[in-house]
Amino acid sequence: MACIYIISQLVAFVVTLASTSLASTCPMVQKTNAQVERRLLNEGFHRDLETTVFISSPEDLQSCIVLIKDIFPSGAYVDPNQLRFNKAFGGPDFHVPQVINVETPEHQSPRVFAYFFKRALHMEDGRWLVNMTIPVHFRYHRARSGATYPLEVPVRLQHPAVFLQCEEAGGEVCRPLLQLEPCPPSGPEQCEWLPVHTFSTTEAVMGLIPVGNTDSLDTVLLATTSITAGATLLILAALTKNRIPRS
């Protein structure tokens, strides 16, 4: 087992070294980086996610398309129907390759891959801006004992990966670094993209999702049964009282 671990570490080191060496031969990758910042707006299960990307590059990105690749955890999702509506009012082009079930709870849901396409706005020499706001939703979580666990679950939305697609993506020296991702404006065909080194000054945004307390299950069942039985008796009494006599 120790030998397997050492070999795996050596392979990872060689891959990292090779990637670093390739990046050093591609000026566009070497000199371009993106600062990614995020905010969760509003409260509750249905929120807005604002993503701001500041790209620093000596290259002219006027002809480039920026790809923001998101991977949402099982406790969150985006609704393609809402994204389509959002796009009609200035939102980004997008591609969501999965069928999204908006009703399933967190423990029955997969991660969601989402790809957003936008052009960068030129701010000043070497600085470009991409900003977008999309609706995002949190899923219901399985109830649990409040005596043992907290009754709020954190769901973290990690920072996305950023890619560039330009008319000339750095030339032949950058070709070994190109990755296949969905084509703009809406996939699902695959195109070549140049990865951009990203960093952030803030941690991943997080939503705190309330969960049900199983310790209250007996009380809830008793109250629900009592109210239902009482309402049924009142309806029966009203029907009996207002019965029209036969002639």
Side-chain angles (χ1 to χ4, degrees), residues 6-117:
I6 292 172
I7 291 172
S8 66
Q9 293 299 306
L10 285 173
V11 170
F13 174 75
V14 171
V15 170
T16 303
L17 190 62
S19 300
T20 305
S21 177
L22 285 171
S24 65
T25 64
C26 176
M28 191 167 185
V29 169
Q30 190 179 24
K31 298 177 182 179
T32 300
N33 59 74
Q35 177 184 344
V36 181
E37 305 296 345
R38 282 191 143 168
R39 290 194 304 159
L40 263 179
L41 309 176
N42 306 324
E43 299 294 333
F45 282 84
H46 309 288
R47 314 280 288 271
D48 287 327
L49 176 63
E50 181 187 48
T51 303
T52 304
V53 182
F54 298 99
I55 302 176
S56 299
S57 177
E59 304 289 335
D60 184 0
L61 306 183
Q62 195 73 41
S63 66
C64 300
I65 298 175
V66 180
L67 165 61
I68 297 174
K69 178 182 179 180
D70 257 308
I71 304 176
F72 293 98
S74 59
Y77 69 93
V78 288
D79 184 348
N81 293 321
Q82 276 192 315
L83 294 177
R84 223 168 275 119
F85 181 83
N86 191 50
K87 176 184 171 182
F89 290 90
D93 292 323
F94 70 94
H95 173 57
V96 178
Q98 299 156 260
V99 175
I100 305 298
N101 188 332
V102 301
E103 301 295 338
T104 54
E106 178 270 340
H107 64 278
Q108 295 178 352
S109 303
R111 297 185 303 169
V112 173
F113 288 76
Y115 304 83
F116 301 95
F117 309 98

Side-chain angles (χ1 to χ4, degrees), residues 131-233:
N131 181 264
M132 69 176 193
T133 301
I134 59 169
V136 64
H137 308 276
F138 293 105
R139 296 188 184 274
Y140 293 101
H141 285 60
R142 195 198 300 262
R144 57 190 185 179
S145 171
T148 309
Y149 303 99
L151 294 178
E152 284 186 325
V153 177
V155 178
R156 290 179 173 81
L157 306 182
Q158 301 295 336
H159 293 302
V162 178
F163 299 83
L164 287 173
Q165 186 186 86
C166 308
E167 291 180 359
E168 294 184 6
E172 287 299 319
V173 292
C174 297
R175 181 156 293 279
L177 293 173
L178 294 175
Q179 297 183 22
L180 290 177
E181 300 290 351
C183 296
S186 57
E189 296 82 8
Q190 299 281 294
C191 290
E192 293 179 335
W193 295 84
L194 201 60
V196 177
H197 170 69
T198 61
F199 69 96
S200 180
T201 60
T202 56
E203 296 183 358
V205 294
M206 180 179 68
L208 287 175
I209 308 305
V211 298
N213 187 358
T214 55
D215 297 341
S216 305
L217 182 60
D218 291 341
T219 303
V220 171
L221 288 176
L222 178 61
T224 303
T225 303
S226 300
I227 292 171
T228 303
T232 303
L233 290 174

Side-chain angles (χ1 to χ4, degrees), residues 238-247:
L239 290 174
T240 303
K241 182 179 180 181
N242 297 323
R243 181 182 296 173
I244 300 174
R246 294 179 181 178
S247 56

